[in-house]
Amino acid sequence: LCVNFVAKAIGQIIMGLLAERWGRQPVFFLGSALYSVCALGCSSAPSVTWLLLLRACQGFGEASGDISVAVIRDILAPSERFRMNSTRWFVRFLVPAAVCSLGGPIVSRLGWRDFMVVLAA
């Protein structure tokens, strides 16, 4: 988990620079694809070393989701930004809480490898 957070922190800087250079949409889709591919890779990781490496790559891809803050700033009027950012932050904090609540039963029934497949979707 720590490897994922550190990679996401570093990834935010790099993804921001890439988004400024190549545009936000391609970087967002590339990051989303990287996240999903690495989640599938985690489900079949042959060792803990591979799992940690893939979780780091997954965190790096997850960092592209923060590009949405800039997109909201660019496309919405100032009066609408507050509502959209409130919704974004609500979802951002609700999803991890739901994953913690639902992840336990899923992992206990299917196993952690299948949970990584669920995360890839």
Side-chain angles (χ1 to χ4, degrees), residues 2-36:
C2 186
V3 169
N4 186 281
F5 286 139
V6 171
K8 183 177 179 182
I10 295 168
Q12 287 176 344
I13 296 168
I14 295 170
M15 290 291 190
L17 293 172
L18 293 175
E20 290 297 319
R21 182 175 178 107
W22 291 317
R24 293 184 179 113
Q25 186 178 16
V27 174
F28 176 77
F29 287 130
L30 177 70
S32 297
L34 180 65
Y35 178 87
S36 294

Side-chain angles (χ1 to χ4, degrees), residues 30-45:
L30 177 70
S32 297
L34 180 65
Y35 178 87
S36 294
V37 168
C38 289
L40 290 174
C42 286
S43 70
S44 60

Side-chain angles (χ1 to χ4, degrees), residues 83-97:
R83 183 181 51 82
M84 185 59 73
N85 275 324
S86 296
T87 302
R88 180 187 174 280
W89 283 105
F90 175 74
V91 170
R92 185 176 175 132
F93 289 113
L94 178 69
V95 169

Side-chain angles (χ1 to χ4, degrees), residues 39-53:
L40 290 174
C42 286
S43 70
S44 60
S47 67
V48 173
T49 305
W50 274 103
L51 180 64
L52 291 175
L53 178 66

Side-chain angles (χ1 to χ4, degrees), residues 3 6 12 16-17 27 29 31 33-34 45 47 54 56-57 71 73 75-76 78 97 101 105 107 115:
V3 169
V6 171
Q12 287 176 344
L17 293 172
V27 174
F29 287 130
L34 180 65
S47 67
L54 289 165
C57 291
V71 172
R73 186 190 67 229
I75 65 172
L76 294 178
S101 300
V107 169
F115 185 69

Side-chain angles (χ1 to χ4, degrees), residues 91-112:
V91 170
R92 185 176 175 132
F93 289 113
L94 178 69
V95 169
V99 168
C100 289
S101 300
L102 299 174
I106 291 172
V107 169
S108 66
R109 291 190 182 158
L110 300 176
W112 68 269

